[in-house]
Amino acid sequence: MASPESSVLRNLPRSCGLSARPGTKDPQALLRFGFRAAAEHGLWPLGLDWIGGDLDGEVWCGRGPIEQGRQGAIDWNRAGGCLSLSLVLDDPPEQDPEARVHAAYRDLIELARSKDCPHLLRAWNYLPAINEGAGDAERYRRFCLGRARALEAAGYDEASLCAGTAIGGEEPKLRLHLLCGSEPGVNIENPRQVSAYRYPRQYGPRSPSFARATLLPGAEGEALLMISGTASVVGHETRHVGDVLAQTREILANMDSLLAESARRSDRPGLARFGADSLVRVYLREAADWPAVERLLRDAWPGARLAAFRGDVCRSDLLVEIEAVTHG
Ligand code: 3EB
């Protein structure tokens, strides 16, 4: 058992104070996502169809007054030691996204550094036609290449990656949202899974640049755990090809394992299970699968708030992916 002395949270500065709540209302937010249509000012859509659940948006807040601005095409908000960056670009699905993604990440990193928040805490990436193209020409693999080259050129190594999501939609746009901090978070890897940044060559020329989860000291002495998009991957291999319910059960096992590891390393038993303050996004390749998937998730995680979207997972044999943010 970890003692408080060995907790990974013990030595972290508390400057960021990041938290995530359900809903869409709070003008003092760093980042507000609106899941159900309505593009109200300052409320970001995911560019994916919302297909169900009881979560209509997420409000991510920092500590203290908000400062905001726009530089080039990037909208930014800063509160205390925390910065959000949002960038939406046209991304024609018939084009190779590598150069566009490379330039986008280069610009995001440059802005994060200029605002004294150089540490990556959470990344969301949405792009069209993610599984189009054969072999290494697949748009997701080209996306991974552009992202990895930009991070490498900026001097970010494996330890400085963060929790992430990469999902495909129909809208011909690249949507990138980054949360960055003046201080780093702590990354947690999943004992059931090979770290994505160490996937073998068969999955593409550059492995995906994300950590399985990023942990931060949150508001009011709580810890904030941001969990990456999690799929039916054990080791590095896809499990249960063609069976969405078996894939969902495998994700439940992956989540259990990641939550247990996070609770142990942070010495926060409250992180070991989802509760009413846990916000979950579910991405399904087939919208018709939602009712059956929802039953499994409600059984496993009573109390958690769920939002489901029609989205393409970045390996064509994966039918479902689930991400979450939880406090403990
Ligand atoms: C996986 O486990 C699923 O490229 O940023 C999940 C979360 C996945 C983030 C990313 C990819 C990414 O490999 C795919």
Side-chain angles (χ1 to χ4, degrees):
M1 278 299 283
S3 66
E5 286 69 37
S6 67
S7 160
V8 293
L9 285 174
R10 200 177 109 86
N11 297 316
L12 285 186
R14 322 217 132 242
S15 57
C16 192
L18 190 64
S19 67
R21 291 184 290 97
T24 57
K25 303 214 181 355
D26 188 339
Q28 285 301 300
L30 284 168
L31 192 51
R32 294 188 300 143
F33 293 104
F35 295 158
R36 306 184 62 170
E40 166 197 333
H41 181 70
L43 193 57
W44 293 103
L46 302 190
L48 305 176
D49 286 338
W50 182 91
I51 54 180
D54 57 0
L55 179 62
D56 68 348
E58 293 170 3
V59 179
W60 291 72
C61 288
R63 227 199 299 271
I66 284 274
E67 229 191 310
Q68 54 188 234
R70 188 174 168 100
Q71 178 158 317
I74 306 174
D75 284 289
W76 61 268
N77 293 272
R78 181 165 59 183
C82 214
L83 176 74
S84 69
L85 302 176
S86 299
L87 176 58
V88 181
L89 297 172
D90 289 334
D91 186 14
E94 67 284 358
Q95 288 178 16
D96 177 357
E98 193 273 337
R100 181 174 288 106
V101 169
H102 188 154
Y105 265 89
R106 179 199 62 209
D107 294 350
L108 289 165
I109 291 165
E110 188 186 62
L111 183 55
R113 287 178 165 170
S114 78
K115 299 284 171 202
D116 295 318
C117 289
H119 301 284
L120 308 178
L121 303 177
R122 182 67 169 96
W124 289 272
N125 307 273
Y126 299 100
L127 65 158
I130 198 166
N131 303 128
E132 288 302 311
D136 288 346
E138 185 189 37
R139 281 175 48 85
Y140 174 65
R141 295 187 183 194
R142 300 295 297 170
F143 162 86
C144 283
L145 186 61
R147 174 176 59 178
R149 285 177 169 163
L151 290 169
E152 184 178 67
Y156 290 81
D157 62 7
E158 289 175 355
S160 46
L161 301 176
C162 67
T165 297
I167 290 288
E170 264 107 284
E171 183 198 48
K173 289 190 187 300
L174 175 66
R175 292 184 174 271
L176 304 182
H177 297 281
L178 271 189
L179 290 170
C180 303
S182 57
E183 305 293 337
V186 169
N187 288 336
I188 311 277
E189 291 298 306
N190 193 327
R192 295 185 91 230
Q193 298 183 299
V194 171
S195 293
Y197 49 79
R198 299 208 176 124
Y199 280 170
R201 175 65 181 85
Q202 72 200 77
Y203 300 103
R206 292 294 295 264
S207 42
S209 310
F210 70 98
R212 295 297 179 187
T214 299
L215 180 70
L216 285 180
E220 287 144 32
E222 283 208 312
L224 183 76
L225 181 67
M226 298 174 285
I227 300 176
S228 291
T230 302
S232 178
V233 171
V234 180
H236 58 76
E237 287 172 344
T238 298
R239 291 280 172 90
H240 318 293
V241 174
D243 185 341
V244 71
L245 293 183
Q247 288 196 9
T248 304
R249 285 187 211 98
E250 202 69 72
I251 292 172
L252 291 172
N254 280 338
M255 287 285 190
D256 276 351
S257 153
L258 186 62
L259 289 175
E261 177 74 1
S262 303
R264 186 186 68 77
R265 288 197 54 207
S266 61
D267 202 37
R268 300 279 181 145
L271 286 178
R273 50 186 74 250
F274 286 153
D277 60 359
S278 304
L279 312 182
V280 177
R281 296 185 196 179
V282 181
Y283 304 100
L284 289 169
R285 200 175 281 281
E286 298 291 340
D289 290 336
W290 174 237
V293 169
E294 182 176 23
R295 278 193 289 277
L296 282 184
L297 299 182
R298 298 273 180 209
D299 251 22
W301 303 328
R305 304 285 293 267
L306 310 180
F309 304 90
R310 220 299 306 155
D312 296 321
V313 187
C314 58
R315 282 187 198 175
S316 49
D317 54 10
L318 292 170
L319 299 171
V320 51
E321 183 172 297
I322 302 179
E323 66 175 71
V325 55
T326 188
H327 308 73

